[in-house]
Amino acid sequence: MSATFSFTVNGRPVTVADEGGDKLIHVLRGALGLTGVHFGCGAEACGACLVLLDGEPVQSCTLPLERAAGRSVTTPEGIGTQNVPHPLQEAFIAEQAGQCGYCLSGILIAAKALLERNTDPTREEIALALEKNLCRCGAHNRIVRAVQRAARALRGESP
Amino acid sequence: MSGAVLPKNLAENPRLDRWIGFEPGGRVRLGTGKVELGQGVLTALVQIAAEELRVRPERVRVVSGETGVTPEEGFTAGSQSIEASGAAIRAAAAEVRAIFVEQAALRLNCARDALSVEDGRFLQDGAATALDYWALAPGVDLKREACGGVKLTAPERFRVIGRSLPRLDLPAKVFGSGFIHDLRPEGLVHARVLRRPRRGAHLEALDEAAIGRAAGGVVEVVRLGDFAAVLAPQEGTAERALEAAQRHARWSGGEVWREGQSEPTHLLSLEAKEEVREFPRRADVGGQAVRRFRARYTRSYLAHGSIAPSVGLAHWDGRELEVLTHSQGVGMLRGALAKVLGLDPAAISVKHRQGAGCYGHNGADDAAADAALLAHACPGRWVRVQWTRADELTAAPVGSAMVVDLEAGLDTRGRPIEWRMDVYSGTHGQRPGHNGAVNLLAAEALPEPAPAPAPVADVPEAAGFGGLRNAMALYDLPTQRVTHHLVLRPPLRTSSMRGLGAHGNVFALESFMDELAAAAGEDPLVWRLSMLSEPRGRRVLERVAEMADWARRPAGGSGEGWGIAFSRYKNRAAYTAVVANVLVDESVHLRQVWCAVDAGLVINPDGAANQIEGGVIQAASWTLKEEVRIGAEGVIGVDWERYPILRFPEVPEVAVAFVGEAGDPPLGIGEAALGPTAAAIGNAVAHALGARVRGMPLTREKIMAALIR
């Protein structure tokens, strides 16, 4: 028996079926094909799977599908595209802020949420906002610089 | 034939068309056996090809790591890609350019010297002609063997090499794509593998009905001996089926886990193969030792801990097997899969697709083998296997624990005139194909398991050693007598992890050097320089001391620590010196790290700096936090709570400078920072405390114990 749930993803209304205990990540990556959401640990410990739920970062790997019902979900695909990039994405490329890049999906989501409540974060504030996000390659300092660069761009300052 | 000596990888893959091709639309195809592991290697290899072909790098499309298609270049490992594949690509591209120049000269009826190449177009005495690579390509057969001997572009003429070209693969990843994890071939079925709780355990019973009920969807169970997996069209269903299978499986037998097995010193109690090596004396020292100094250093077993779980995809149509993998060595994986499945290697194609950061022999090959076995059992369907986080941290190979004993006989000034070292370690080389074995996890569980490697061996000297990697110090020392104790059956499956034995050995050697300096009452930098004739080694030490303003180092025991360390990776790749600054209370706060590197010619400075920065931060994580621990139920660290790694607020600032000459050949940098960073941190902590912690990780417990001593 499968129940259905409706919510919006990246501004688009969707209705999806729960196959029997699905987490949000399963339908995002599966039925909806939004593979920019990355699976990392399945235990809310690495941040790879972050999405915005009504603007707040949540780990989609453990979130029961029903919790998204009636709400607004933003995935990494919803931040920006190659044609219309978000200043964060431009800044990450400008700073070469990544090595393998797998963790960046979740980090971009966390950074977007941070910049919406703090337009001029310090290195320490960024590190704290990304505390739940693991990066194994050691691109941390570049990532912090990229978030600061994006903050400057969003404030209308030059990079 | 000029009879010139070809770079090794070109000599082994001499057909030029395997390396370079010209495609419609003004594109260049570059083939390489090396693969992108997150280290940015493909961008650097494109730069090398573009430089010698004299085309813009944007024209170059890379085909990487595909059996039967790209050159066979072994594993992407050992900081070898730029040195080995780069040298081959540079020579091949230069020769292809020369062949085309000759063809153009014939067509234009001019001297070759009158021609130059500008973004793929041929200019005659500087003026445009109608010819370019693509116009000439139909008349030039590159299905020929390289002869070598073509003059390479001189460093002062470089236009692409030495520039920080942005990573070619990063844009896709910033927009959430580009990974093997995202591939969804038509008709895909998701699989999860039930791993054995103990090596050699037998699957007595598996309640398949209970699994189907718990999963709430269509589930198939495949069993091959003690290898079992669940398959479902939906990923969520497969995940729930695995959780149910773990609850409903009954296992018997197998190797028993015991607490304490993961202590590095447990290695001392195990059977080992011993080999003594004498590294030749590097200084004319001798006489009667008046004092002896000895110390024991250890490192724990380390997990790779990639942020993504391993994935493999495979499809079997009854004749041919296609495998998609993030393995470091598609050719070796193909050979091993052929043995496991009883297939002709020619019936198998293995293609590299990018995964998350790879730091050595992780679960990639095993996941590919899982997928291949399941696809073979389910003909006509694409099978996608994804590991769990717990599998990633506990079932993948690990970096071996190590014990390093050092002993020096000292003269009246405290200088070493005798030198002994004992290294105890599991093997650092157990990849598919190593030691004649398949070395694939699933193969051990099949009804007719693949034979265990016999005898177990380590990475040979030609590849830079495993347990003995960087065991020889580069200082002006007497004969260094090193005994390698290769532990044959450690409790965990050990294999290659970034730096191999260098992390443990450099930590030991450079800690020991500091202890000798302290005993002699000398500054650690001055002490090292007084015993180092190698000019390139001296230069990185002097430069890093400048960068960090070493002279401001306070007296020891203040709680603030400054440590320095040096090594040349594998004693033949990049030279690296590191200074670390720490504050220590109950635990270590690593504040800042400086790094000076001589890597000779650097192809892409920003990409190389990224590798060094990442190496520093990863080494900090290993050195301060990481250990794979074993309890009565097996490996304890099944998740990031129980196997913590460095998080953003704990990450130091890192400054990197390259100090080499562009005229010197490129030296591998991917693993160069790990050993000296570990030792610089260890030395900084000892300086801060006035007491030394000789075992990694440098945890709060060990710091408290050192302070009480």
Side-chain angles (χ1 to χ4, degrees), chain A residues 32-65:
Chain A
L32 300 175
L34 296 165
T35 51
V37 183
H38 286 166
F39 180 86
C41 70
E44 300 181 35
C46 77
C49 67
L50 284 180
V51 297
L52 296 175
L53 191 63
D54 289 341
E56 284 304 310
V58 296
Q59 318 239 19
S60 63
C61 67
T62 52
L63 194 80
L65 187 55

Side-chain angles (χ1 to χ4, degrees), chain B residues 196-204 226 251-258 489:
Chain B
R196 297 196 287 183
R198 300 172 296 278
R199 234 175 167 173
H202 172 59
L203 182 54
E204 292 283 347
D226 298 315
W251 299 92
S252 66
E255 292 174 15
V256 179
W257 295 107
R258 286 187 307 277
R489 294 278 292 164

Side-chain angles (χ1 to χ4, degrees), chain B residues 31 130 168 176 195 351 372 375 409 427 459 473 539 582 607-608 625 637 640 681:
Chain B
L168 301 170
R195 296 258 91 99
K351 298 173 182 170
T427 179
V459 176
R539 185 164 59 180
V582 300
K625 306 191 81 130
W640 293 122
I681 294 170

Side-chain angles (χ1 to χ4, degrees), chain B residues 423-464:
Chain B
V423 178
Y424 300 82
S425 175
T427 179
H428 293 263
Q430 225 170 168
R431 295 176 183 274
H434 271 164
N435 312 324
V438 297
N439 294 325
L440 293 168
L441 184 57
E444 297 175 7
L446 295 177
E448 291 173 43
V456 170
D458 205 354
V459 176
E461 181 173 7

Side-chain angles (χ1 to χ4, degrees), chain B residues 42 86 94 109 127 156 191 196 198 253 255 272 299 303 336 424 439 469-471 531 567 585 594 613 634 661-662:
Chain B
L42 297 187
N109 194 22
E156 56 274 17
R196 297 196 287 183
R198 300 172 296 278
E255 292 174 15
R299 85 151 190 176
Y424 300 82
N439 294 325
R469 181 161 293 185
N470 279 98
M531 270 189 277
S567 81
D585 39 42
W594 297 264
E613 291 161 24
E661 303 288 338

